[in-house]
Amino acid sequence: EPPTIPDAPADERLTTLQDDLNRYYEVYGIRVGVFRRDGSPLAQAPGDWRLPTEGEGAQAFAEALAGRRSHDPSQVWPGQRDRLTVASPVVRDGDVVYVVVTDSPTGPMRKRILHSWFLIAAGEAAAMLVAVAAAIRLTRWVLRPVGVLDAAAHGIATGRMNSRVAADSGPPELRRLARSFNEMADNVEDVLEQQRAFVADASHQLRNPLAALLLRIELLALDLPDGHQEIASVRTEGKRLAQVLDDLLDLATAEHATAQTSRTDIAELAADRVGAWLTLAERKGVGLEYAGPKAATGWADPIALSSALDAVVDNALKFTPAGAEVTVAVAVVPEAETVTVTVTDGGPGLTEEELTRVGDRFWRSNRHQNVSGSGLGLSISRALLAAGGATLSFAPHEPTGLRVTITLPRTAPSE
């Protein structure tokens, strides 16, 4: 039943009502008042508070005069409004005689809501961090064998055939994959070792019969007249076959050898090899010169690099006609941390199709079949350089000729 509020201001119950409103205001900090229909206060706390004549408070008072509680405001976000006004009618005999209005500050509520949101956000952030940490740990546990497997595969691809994977961590599927990889690597290493051993043994075993055959040819030549063309051709082919066997043995040794790399003065070594070939170049009428700095250090196997340079310079002198030039140039590439040795000649050069095959074993251009050689010199050079972390590349030289570039690192290759 609606409360009964007396009309007499001096009534004891009115004093009690005022005391209750004051207490309510002190405890909750909410302004509250009981207003007559004309808007004049019957009791209010604090004492100087008056009913707003416009805005949300006036609209709530008007709704209460119509006999219904003021409408609840729409959804309010923290910080959107500072106060919240609610009005409720006091009805007697079906008529609205008074209106109770509360004007609540939203600051404390905002603080509580923001505090709750902060706790929820902190909890969610902590849960997310825990989940991410767990996911990272789980992912590392799962992918660690994959990283080890990738490193081992890269090691085998770069010539370290003894690279293997420890199959004692990670999920069962990856452990099985690691064991399978090790078995595959063992089989590949065995096949390559058998191939290398076969080439080395075959070339070594064929040298003695070939030497005996050449000796018998020389004995037979004693019974033939001097200058016999067939005997000369047989001698030439026999020497060529002996050279091929020697190159095969060198190739098998180069592919299996371990490079002894050290900090080397590449410029000094290149200039020394140019001086060693200068006599042969002058005899052929070919210009041979060194171009580059007096000193350029890099990381290389001096013996392997010397052998590779000898093979490349020898190849350049073979195909360069008299009067042309062969240049050995050394350059430092700071941005790539490399040192390059470039050998350019003035020979006929190679076509684009031939450039894709140069350096392959036993490959020789059809246009150069009459030039002596086994087709293994550049293959041996590439194998010697690869063991020390260097590379060998080929490109056309303008206007004619071939450019062979040896690229060496300036720092020690990583193990």
Side-chain angles (χ1 to χ4, degrees), residues 19-32 44-48 83 103 105:
D19 293 339
D20 291 340
L21 296 183
N22 291 335
R23 183 61 178 167
Y24 185 83
Y25 174 73
E26 292 173 0
V27 173
Y28 299 104
I30 298 176
R31 294 187 295 191
V32 59
Q44 76 278 353
D48 58 349
R83 307 193 71 85
D103 185 41

Side-chain angles (χ1 to χ4, degrees), residues 154-173:
H154 178 72
I156 292 178
T158 54
R160 297 193 296 271
M161 301 304 299
N162 60 343
S163 299
R164 296 296 183 271
V165 180
D168 56 356
S169 62
E173 295 81 2

Side-chain angles (χ1 to χ4, degrees), residues 352-388:
E352 291 187 4
E353 181 180 356
E354 291 172 336
L355 283 173
T356 60
R357 297 204 57 191
V358 63
D360 292 348
R361 299 175 185 177
F362 298 106
W363 182 86
R364 304 184 69 199
S365 173
N366 295 329
R367 297 178 290 129
H368 306 148
Q369 294 296 330
N370 58 336
V371 181
S372 62
S374 62
L376 289 172
L378 295 179
S379 298
I380 296 173
S381 301
R382 177 175 286 172
L384 290 172
L385 293 171

Side-chain angles (χ1 to χ4, degrees), residues 17 36 54 86 104 106 110 112 168 198 222 238 248 285 288 294 301 308 321 323 328 337 365 388 410:
L17 174 62
R36 299 183 180 89
E54 59 182 11
V86 177
S104 307
T106 58
R110 182 188 304 114
R112 290 195 299 270
D168 56 356
F198 172 78
L222 297 177
L248 276 174
L288 177 61
K294 293 183 179 180
D301 184 341
V328 179
E337 283 295 319
S365 173
R410 297 192 67 189

Side-chain angles (χ1 to χ4, degrees), residues 123-175:
E124 291 181 351
M128 185 177 297
L129 290 176
V130 171
V132 170
I136 292 176
R137 188 174 182 84
L138 179 61
T139 302
R140 287 180 178 176
W141 177 74
V142 172
L143 294 182
R144 185 182 295 112
V146 178
V148 176
L149 184 63
D150 176 71
H154 178 72
I156 292 178
T158 54
R160 297 193 296 271
M161 301 304 299
N162 60 343
S163 299
R164 296 296 183 271
V165 180
D168 56 356
S169 62
E173 295 81 2
L174 291 180
R175 291 200 294 269

Side-chain angles (χ1 to χ4, degrees), residues 273-327:
R273 300 323 301 157
V274 169
W277 286 92
L278 194 58
T279 302
L280 178 61
E282 292 175 350
R283 190 184 309 158
K284 295 186 61 176
V286 177
L288 177 61
E289 63 176 2
Y290 168 79
K294 293 183 179 180
T297 58
W299 208 266
D301 184 341
I303 298 177
L305 180 58
S306 298
S307 301
L309 272 176
D310 287 341
V312 174
V313 173
D314 179 35
N315 192 72
L317 293 176
K318 283 181 183 179
F319 296 99
T320 301
E325 295 285 337
V326 174
T327 303

